[in-house]
Amino acid sequence: MNKGLFALAMGTFSLGIAEFLMMGILINLATAMNVSVSEAGHFISAYATGVCFGAPALLLFRRMPLRRMLLMLVALIGAGNLLAALSTNFWMLMCARFISGLPHGAYFGVGAIVARKLVPPGHQSGAVAFMIAGMTVATLGGVPLGTFISETFSWRIAFFFIAAFAVATFICIRRFVPALQPLEDRGFKGQFHFLKTLPPWLIFGGVIFGQIGLYCWYSYIDPQMTLVAGFPTSALSWLMILAGGGMFIGNLAFGRLGDRYKPSLVAALVEGFGIVALALVAFFGDIKWVAVVLMVFGTMALFGSGSPLQSSIVGYSKGGELLGGACIQIAYNAGNAIAAYIGGRIIASGAGYGAVSLAGIPIVAVGCVMLFVLYFRVERKN
């Protein structure tokens, strides 16, 4: 096993729990903070907003050696989640979630570059998929564990756990990731030159629209599985394990396919698969066993396009790799923030949870079309 990739995956594991734990304890936190479920959805948006602010700030550290940059980001993961564990009111937790989100996009951006450097040519997409696998393992094991701890003891202990794991990640990155030199510095303006070309914009569009549509549904998976499908809240732990299994399978399977086929084609087909899943959720989500199967398919689609596109953007952003890798995470998390807001408004209007899934379909379709355009206009010819 490549220990450097394993250390990188530990970082995405920490980020995965920090991001996705909120979906499993949303009702719990709403009660603790004395707010509605739709208002508690702002904790999701606060994290995603932090991602959008933190990722471009990475350019201020572009001359820093890559490993040192990773260590700085992991330290921030620990600090943000420690503050979340100590939060005593709604706004303090909102601030903690914002801080926790700051290193997210930057870590994925730097991590993708480092992962590609740790493997031979032809294996870059698989290496990035391995790094991202830490996040899917978090959803498979870490998030259900955190949900169980929150339900049984306290949600604060779950956030303390994330902070402690960030410390372990810091130690492993320092030991196992080689001391790589900084990327070539082409100046601040030079970081943006790649944005004059079409492919990065098609990738960003494919990501943000695909994420908004699918995340409208997944942001409120807790009430959908309990209030619509009829599962007790005690079942959320094993339901989150199954959801994480879908993410894990989708990430690794489609990540490896990204090394064999064109990444844009793989990602476009994954989003098409997601459209079908959303439609079925809207009409059959009240049937328990069907809801479970569709949840797994939906989470496969949610993560299936990630590693091919995260690896691909590095190749399309020559001279601005840090910005390119970070911007794709801005797109993901801007999509998450918008999705949580849209979903919350739909729920608050009384339209029901089925309407949340239906609203996501045309949005995902836009992202799917953009990725097909990238394939047919650019990648198929190469």
Side-chain angles (χ1 to χ4, degrees), residues 167-189:
V167 174
T169 302
F170 186 98
I171 295 170
C172 288
I173 288 178
R174 185 174 179 83
R175 181 172 181 180
F176 298 127
V177 174
L180 301 169
Q181 293 299 313
L183 295 172
E184 179 184 358
D185 183 17
R186 300 187 181 183
F188 188 82
K189 291 183 179 180

Side-chain angles (χ1 to χ4, degrees), residues 14-15 17-19 21-22 43 46-47 50 71-89 91-104 155-156 158-167:
S14 300
L15 292 168
I17 303 178
E19 181 176 14
L21 174 63
M22 194 59 63
F43 295 137
Y47 185 95
L71 293 173
M72 176 187 68
L73 294 170
V74 171
L76 194 55
I77 294 171
N81 285 283
L82 179 60
L83 182 61
L86 299 174
S87 295
T88 57
N89 58 61
W91 289 109
M92 186 175 179
L93 184 55
M94 283 284 286
C95 291
R97 292 292 291 169
F98 176 80
I99 294 171
S100 298
L102 287 173
H104 184 114
W155 57 270
R156 297 181 188 277
F159 284 110
F160 274 124
F161 170 77
I162 301 171
F165 197 85
V167 174

Side-chain angles (χ1 to χ4, degrees), residues 92-382:
M92 186 175 179
L93 184 55
M94 283 284 286
C95 291
R97 292 292 291 169
F98 176 80
I99 294 171
S100 298
L102 287 173
H104 184 114
Y107 184 91
F108 273 86
V110 179
I113 295 169
V114 173
R116 287 167 61 96
K117 290 179 176 292
L118 296 179
V119 296
H123 298 275
Q124 288 93 341
S125 181
V128 174
F130 190 94
M131 178 194 75
I132 295 176
M135 175 168 277
T136 62
V137 171
T139 61
L140 182 62
V143 172
L145 176 60
T147 303
F148 173 78
I149 291 172
S150 299
E151 294 288 342
T152 307
F153 302 104
S154 169
W155 57 270
R156 297 181 188 277
I157 297 177
F159 284 110
F160 274 124
F161 170 77
I162 301 171
F165 197 85
V167 174
T169 302
F170 186 98
I171 295 170
C172 288
I173 288 178
R174 185 174 179 83
R175 181 172 181 180
F176 298 127
V177 174
L180 301 169
Q181 293 299 313
L183 295 172
E184 179 184 358
D185 183 17
R186 300 187 181 183
F188 188 82
K189 291 183 179 180
Q191 299 290 315
F192 296 86
H193 285 173
F194 76 95
L195 293 174
K196 296 179 180 179
T197 61
L198 179 62
W201 292 106
L202 292 174
I203 291 175
F204 298 150
V207 167
I208 194 167
F209 286 108
Q211 199 73 357
I212 290 172
L214 286 166
Y215 228 78
C216 271
W217 157 73
Y218 193 69
S219 290
Y220 298 92
I221 193 65
D222 176 349
Q224 289 192 60
M225 298 305 288
T226 55
L227 303 181
V228 178
F231 286 99
T233 56
S234 59
L236 285 173
S237 294
W238 67 263
L239 286 171
M240 291 301 99
I241 291 175
L242 293 177
M247 294 178 185
F248 182 80
I249 293 169
N251 171 64
L252 288 183
F254 294 117
R256 292 189 177 184
L257 286 176
D259 280 327
R260 298 181 59 185
Y261 304 100
K262 299 299 183 182
S264 58
L265 178 62
V266 173
L269 292 175
V270 169
E271 291 194 0
F273 178 70
I275 291 172
V276 175
L278 288 176
L280 293 175
V281 165
F283 293 104
F284 303 105
D286 58 342
I287 304 172
K288 283 188 176 181
W289 72 268
V290 175
V292 172
V293 172
L294 292 176
M295 179 185 67
V296 174
F297 285 163
T299 53
M300 285 178 65
L302 190 66
F303 263 71
S305 64
S307 48
L309 295 179
Q310 183 77 61
S311 178
S312 182
I313 192 63
V314 176
Y316 283 120
S317 54
K318 297 298 183 184
E321 291 89 347
L322 283 177
L323 181 63
C327 277
I328 199 169
Q329 289 300 314
I330 294 177
Y332 272 117
N333 286 275
N336 294 353
I338 295 169
Y341 175 78
I342 292 174
R345 297 300 298 172
I346 292 173
I347 294 168
S349 72
Y353 293 101
V356 174
S357 300
L358 287 175
I361 292 174
I363 303 175
V364 179
V366 173
C368 185
V369 168
M370 296 183 78
L371 293 173
F372 273 122
V373 170
L374 176 60
Y375 172 69
F376 285 108
R377 289 195 57 178
V378 180
E379 293 192 352
R380 189 176 65 164
K381 302 174 184 178
N382 299 330

